[in-house]
Each structure stands twice: as C-alpha cells, then as structure tokens.
Amino acid sequence: MLDTTTTRHQAGGPGVVQGFDALIVGAGFSGLYQLLCLRDRLGLSVRVLEAAEGVGGTWYWNRYPGARCDSESHSYCYTFSRELLEEWEWSERYPGQPEILRYLNHVADRFDLRRDISFGARVAAARWDEAERRWHVATEAGERFAAPFLVTAVGCLSSANIPDIPGLGEFAGRWYHTGQWPHEGVDFTGKRVGMIGTGSTGIQAAPVIAKAAAHLTVFQRTANYSIPARNAPLTPEFKRWLKENYAELRRIMHATPNGHPFPIADRSVFDVTPEEREAIYEAAWEKGGLQFRATFRDLLVDKAANDTAAEFIRAKIREVVKDPAKAAVLADIDHPFAAKRPPIDTEYFETFNRDNVSLVNLRATPIECITPRGIRTRDGAEHALDIIVFATGFDAMTGQLLRMDIRGRDGLSLREAWREGPRTYLGLQVAGFPNLFILTGPGSPSVLCNMPVPIEQHAEWVTDCIAHLRARGIARIEATPEAVDRWVEHVNEAANATLLPTVPHSWYLGANVPGKPRVFMPYAGGMARYRAICDEVAARGYEGFALGG
Ligand code: NA7
C-alpha cells in the first residue's frame, strides 16, 4: 500500500518509491511503442504513467465532431511489425478518431502493453538525483516512482489553448475545447453554436456541427487555406495492393522529408508553363489531401512559387463559396500556402453556402468579450449562442512538457532552462537533464511529419542508446551545451531556408500563446536527413553527448 499522505507533488521526498529501469510519460502512439521497445527488446522493467483512463494520447482526448487524421490511413500506423500491418485493415482513406483509438487499443492488447501502464496517473514532477543516478517522479495523486531513464512521450498537441477572453465565466450556455471533448459527445440539436478558430480542427469540425446545429457562427481570426481531403472508403483492390507494397511504401516514407507515402515531385513551379501548372494543381485538387503540397519541390522555399499555389486555392474558395462577401473574407489569406500547417477538409468551404452558417471576420471586428448570452464583437454586435466551441489549438510542443515540474542537475527546472524558448540536442535531450529523453520534442521533425515515422525512429534510437549504455556499464548520458548550441543553430538554419518562419502568428513559433517565447520549434530539415544525422551521432559513439558514470 502506498503512503501518499505526506508526499503529494514532492518527487524524491519521503515515502514509498516504486523502482524501474525506465519510466515513460504518456501512452499515446509514442509511449506505447517506446514501452514495447524497452520491455520486449531490451528486457527492461518499465512503467508508463498516463493521465488518461485509456491509451491513445491525442486520439483519446480529441473526440470533437469530424476529428480525423490528415495522414492517409495506410501510413498513419506502426510499421515495425509485419503481422500487425497484415492483420489491421483501415476502412477509409483518412482514419477517423474512433478508428485510430480502436487501432491503438488493439496494439496495446496485441502486445500485452496494458499491464505496464498506470492509468489516471498524471505526472506532476520529476527530479534527477545525481547521487542515485535516477529520476524520481511523482504523480498528482502522490504515487512515486524512480528509474535511471525517463522518457517523455507526451505528444506535441496535448496542452489545450483556451484563450483568456473576458466574461467566459459568466457565459450562461455550455462551452468546450475540441481537445478536451466530452466522451459522451455534445448534442447540438436546436442549438446556436459559435466556433472560434479555423485551423485544422475548426475546419474539420464546422461542417459536422453545421449539419447538427440550428445555427453555426464561425469566428475567423486568420483566414486559412484548405485542400479537399476526398475521403472515401478504401476499396478491396487498394487494400490488396497495400499488402503487396508495404516494403516500397515504407521505403518512400523513410526517404521523403515529411514521412508521407508519396514523394515530392522533383520539379520547380517554373519548369512548367502556366497552363501545365494549372493542370497539375487541378489534378492535385481533385485527388485531394496533403499531396497538393508535393506537386512542386519549391512551394515551401520560394515565395514566388508559393504564390501560384496560394492564388489557385484562393480562386477555388471564391468559386465554391456563393456569397461574395463570405468568399472575400475566407479567401483573404495573409500567409504563404503550407507555411502554417495546411488543413484538409470535407466540405469546409461548401458549409458557408448553408443558410444556417454565418461567418464573423475577427480581423475587422475582434472579440470584445463573452457575455452571458453569447459573444460580443467590437462593432457592438452580440452573437447569441447556446454553445461555444473553442477550436483554438494548443500550447504546442512545449506546453505539455512544462506543465510538469521537471528538474535536472542541481535543481535546474526545465521551465528555467527554456525561459528563452526550447533548446535541445536533436530534439531528444536537454543539457542539464541527464538520462531524460524527449520523444517528438522541439528541435525534432515531429509536427512537420506524418507522426508515426518520427515516433518509430525516436523510440528505436532511444532504445539503441540505452542498450549501448547498459552494455558498457555507463550510467549516464547528457547532451553537452555545445552540442545543443550547434543543434539550435542548425534548426534555425533549416527553418530559415523555408517560408515556415515567415508567418508571425504560427503555432510553430509559439505565437498563438500569449507570452510564449518566439522560437521556431520543429526541425524543418526533413525526416530523412534527421534520421541520417541521428544514425551518424550514434555511430560516432553518441557524439555531442557526455557519457559517464
Ligand atoms: P491551430 O492550428 O492552432 O488553430 C487554432 C485556431 O484558433 C486558429 O484559427 C487561430 O487563429 C484561432 N485562435 C486561437 N486563439 C484565438 C483567439 N484568442 N481568438 C480568435 N481565434 C483564435 O489549432 P488546431 O487545433 O486547429 O490544429 C492543431 C494541429 O492539430 C494541426 O495543425 C494538426 O497538426 C492537428 P490564428 O491563426 O492564431 O489567428
């Protein structure tokens, strides 16, 4: 029986400590695979601490209407097990949230992972003990754990960003953030719904909410591009083709910069005539999905090239949306295409042709406050609402890490170490925090990729690293400050070679959260290049890391 009476939130204080070889925070895509690797391949004793009551991470929490992955289902899965690939069949081109959650539950059962996961265990604090060469971890409920290795697998988009709009507390209706959606769902029947946010989430949710609600008002701050997803059930022929071509698909996913199962065309926008270009865009629009971004190699690096795609999409928006005033607001996009995360949709722009959908342009009339009856904008209009949906995104990449009180050597807190923004080596380690590995952390390709690809790479790299240390009796690994400096410089160089950092209001830069330091967080140098760098670092005896003890 644990003594939790005196030990709440005090990692390393007196009390019962459960010892393991490794601790993992999070049982989503990355935590599950990290557990499997460390337990079944290295034979370590491992405990996963998961805040939710089930596996799934992002897909456990994001149950909003229309929640669906933008990666195609045959690539949004683990590839480490041929049997798993053979036995699991996706039903649609893009997997919906319930199906992904079923998949992750299947993985947890198939590989008997649940027995090493503590559910309902939200980590409050973690402290490195230099004398013991162990991490001490405490949950909010006061459970205490210790292990030489700590791996955070907390995802990139799990800390909800709920804007601090005056009056929310007085709102007489109900409100929800899409990333904390009630499991029992929300009944929109007969309701007037206001949705704030037009990122990937809002663009997925609006068409579904509009069909269920009496009225939907979309509050748009920044107009966004979106490409039709063209979702559809997978045909038996395609499923058969997949099973015969896994190896080739995996090869492509490992060779492309963003881990998708299609290559980026090796041609410039300016290699073709305007008519040919239009035909290429048209075909990509018809095919649908993120492949639109792969039509030319220079869309993300050359503004003039990007302008051609941007203008094509704006013209499509004006064509689809019948009301010219709404079309003008929706097509008034102020940033290059795909320089913010490009959404894909199912009838998003078409939704504005419905009689029960209105659009508020927050650039012209910002939100002033929330009243008991609805949302008041600065022009004095009060939009009467029964439900407010915040599709306002996340404190991405760092929020969920900094929510825990992580302290490394000499009591240094991660919050303090990252005061000016996150600084990592390979996205995997932080100077001053020995034996702490961060999966899909800032400085790694993460959100610029089809996530399972970097997730498998990270988990395997960390596993090999721990195996290397244990085989040599090395107790401790820590990124050197010089390696961190060099990596941060390289991450900045990689970002600056693209159009990505040119969008001042992007969450890639942390700009969506007031007070968050503006640092371009993901590594834009491409997954294939990143993998090669990580392999090289390992081959050179973990260059850039101090090994000892
Ligand atoms: P995003 O992409 O961060 O989008 C959030 C949206 O909410 C975006 O349109 C924001 O406008 C808007 N927003 C945020 N705060 C406010 C306030 N205070 N007022 C008005 N509008 C606001 O989050 P998503 O959940 O859509 O997508 C996250 C990722 O999940 C996505 O990229 C995929 O990787 C999956 P802004 O653009 O900041 O002006």
Side-chain angles (χ1 to χ4, degrees):
M1 189 71 185
L2 286 172
D3 173 11
T4 56
T5 48
T6 57
T7 55
R8 263 182 92 82
H9 300 281
Q10 290 177 20
V16 180
V17 176
Q18 305 177 55
F20 292 90
D21 294 325
L23 295 169
I24 298 168
V25 187
F29 239 110
S30 56
L32 291 177
Y33 186 48
Q34 188 68 80
L35 166 61
L36 185 147
C37 288
L38 293 179
R39 187 191 71 182
D40 297 353
R41 296 187 192 152
L42 298 192
L44 304 190
S45 67
V46 185
R47 170 95 344 209
V48 178
L49 304 172
E50 167 56 60
E53 295 301 333
V55 302
T58 291
W59 300 106
Y60 178 90
W61 298 106
N62 280 267
R63 298 172 188 238
Y64 61 87
R68 190 175 289 285
C69 186
D70 290 346
S71 293
E72 291 178 67
S73 53
H74 62 284
S75 65
Y76 197 74
C77 55
Y78 298 109
T79 62
F80 67 87
S81 161
R82 179 80 207 190
E83 296 75 30
L84 180 61
L85 282 168
E86 291 282 348
E87 75 201 13
W88 184 265
E89 277 201 355
W90 296 103
S91 63
E92 294 174 276
R93 179 172 174 189
Y94 304 93
Q97 176 273 335
E99 192 167 18
I100 303 172
L101 195 56
R102 273 201 303 281
Y103 171 73
L104 291 171
N105 274 287
H106 169 73
V107 171
D109 291 333
R110 190 191 192 288
F111 296 98
D112 192 17
L113 299 176
R114 267 179 234 281
R115 66 183 153 94
D116 295 305
I117 306 173
S118 296
F119 293 106
R122 185 179 287 283
V123 170
R127 179 179 66 79
W128 171 252
D129 186 312
E130 184 70 42
E132 292 182 15
R133 303 274 160 91
R134 293 202 297 179
W135 281 94
H136 282 262
V137 174
T139 66
E140 282 186 355
E143 273 199 295
R144 298 155 49 70
F145 304 85
F149 296 101
L150 175 62
V151 184
T152 64
V154 291
C156 298
L157 300 160
S158 46
S159 181
N161 172 40
I162 299 168
D164 188 13
I165 302 175
L168 181 57
E170 277 81 64
F171 181 55
R174 311 295 299 261
W175 63 268
Y176 308 92
H177 185 278
T178 49
Q180 299 170 342
W181 204 256
H183 288 199
E184 63 281 10
V186 174
D187 185 4
F188 293 108
T189 317
K191 298 283 195 279
R192 297 161 303 175
V193 182
M195 189 190 77
I196 304 176
T198 52
S200 300
T201 299
I203 281 177
Q204 286 184 339
V208 186
I209 296 175
K211 283 186 189 135
H215 191 89
L216 171 67
T217 307
V218 175
F219 293 84
Q220 172 192 286
R221 186 164 68 182
T222 305
N224 215 341
Y225 302 95
S226 186
I227 307 293
R230 313 272 181 222
N231 188 37
L234 293 180
T235 62
E237 297 75 50
F238 184 75
K239 289 181 188 173
R240 221 175 11 256
W241 177 86
L242 272 182
K243 289 194 197 292
E244 287 157 12
N245 289 281
Y246 281 136
E248 176 59 8
L249 281 168
R250 191 169 192 264
R251 192 195 63 69
I252 298 172
M253 284 157 66
H254 281 205
T256 57
N258 45 27
H260 285 291
F262 46 82
I264 294 174
D266 188 19
R267 64 180 166 217
S268 160
V269 159
F270 303 109
D271 287 345
V272 297
T273 65
E275 294 73 30
E276 286 166 339
R277 191 185 305 141
E278 198 70 6
I280 290 167
Y281 285 145
E282 194 63 51
W285 183 266
E286 280 313 308
K287 189 167 175 56
L290 293 172
Q291 300 191 28
F292 190 94
R293 194 177 45 174
T295 45
F296 295 100
R297 66 161 184 264
D298 45 355
L299 288 182
L300 271 182
V301 293
D302 179 347
K303 175 71 169 54
N306 192 290
D307 284 346
T308 64
E311 202 34 60
F312 177 89
I313 302 169
R314 288 193 192 102
K316 284 288 184 196
I317 297 170
R318 288 190 285 261
E319 192 181 303
V320 171
V321 180
K322 302 297 173 223
D323 173 350
K326 279 183 185 168
V329 171
L330 290 163
D332 185 19
I333 309 173
D334 65 357
H335 53 278
F337 166 64
K340 287 173 91 171
R341 167 67 155 70
I344 63 174
D345 69 274
T346 299
E347 298 183 350
Y348 174 64
F349 294 114
E350 289 82 349
T351 291
F352 292 93
N353 294 333
R354 296 176 63 101
D355 293 339
N356 71 334
V357 175
S358 44
L359 175 64
V360 176
N361 177 6
L362 297 181
R363 284 281 164 89
T365 56
I367 294 176
E368 192 172 79
C369 63
I370 295 174
T371 67
R373 282 169 33 86
I375 294 180
R376 179 175 303 140
T377 42
R378 207 172 285 169
D379 54 355
E382 189 184 49
H383 304 271
L385 301 169
D386 304 305
I387 295 175
I388 299 175
V389 174
F390 288 96
T392 44
F394 301 90
D395 180 355
M397 303 199 75
T398 55
Q400 54 285 357
L401 288 166
L402 296 178
R403 194 158 63 179
M404 300 179 280
D405 181 15
I406 300 180
R407 289 177 187 266
R409 231 174 345 100
D410 307 320
L412 175 68
S413 76
L414 190 61
R415 188 167 280 282
E416 183 59 23
W418 285 3
R419 197 155 36 102
E420 311 282 318
R423 297 178 64 79
T424 67
Y425 180 37
L426 304 173
L428 288 164
Q429 266 221 343
V430 185
F433 296 78
N435 293 14
L436 169 68
F437 294 101
I438 299 172
L439 304 187
T440 68
S444 78
S446 59
V447 289
L448 299 180
C449 281
N450 171 36
M451 291 299 282
V453 177
I455 283 170
E456 285 192 331
Q457 185 270 349
H458 285 320
E460 288 164 8
W461 192 93
V462 168
T463 305
D464 291 346
C465 176
I466 292 178
H468 175 94
L469 301 177
R470 285 172 63 91
R472 288 161 185 75
I474 299 169
R476 195 179 183 290
I477 180 166
E478 182 185 340
T480 66
E482 298 74 32
V484 171
D485 288 347
R486 277 197 304 276
W487 185 251
V488 169
E489 204 174 306
H490 178 59
V491 170
N492 287 332
E493 272 167 20
N496 290 334
T498 73
L499 299 172
L500 298 175
T502 64
V503 188
H505 45 72
S506 156
W507 61 257
Y508 292 156
L509 276 165
N512 62 329
V513 176
K516 188 165 172 169
R518 304 284 166 101
V519 171
F520 191 83
M521 293 183 285
Y523 175 60
M527 185 58 214
R529 185 165 161 207
Y530 174 83
R531 183 190 299 274
I533 294 170
C534 289
D535 288 349
E536 181 78 15
V537 164
R540 294 182 185 212
Y542 294 90
E543 190 177 44
F545 292 96
L547 274 52

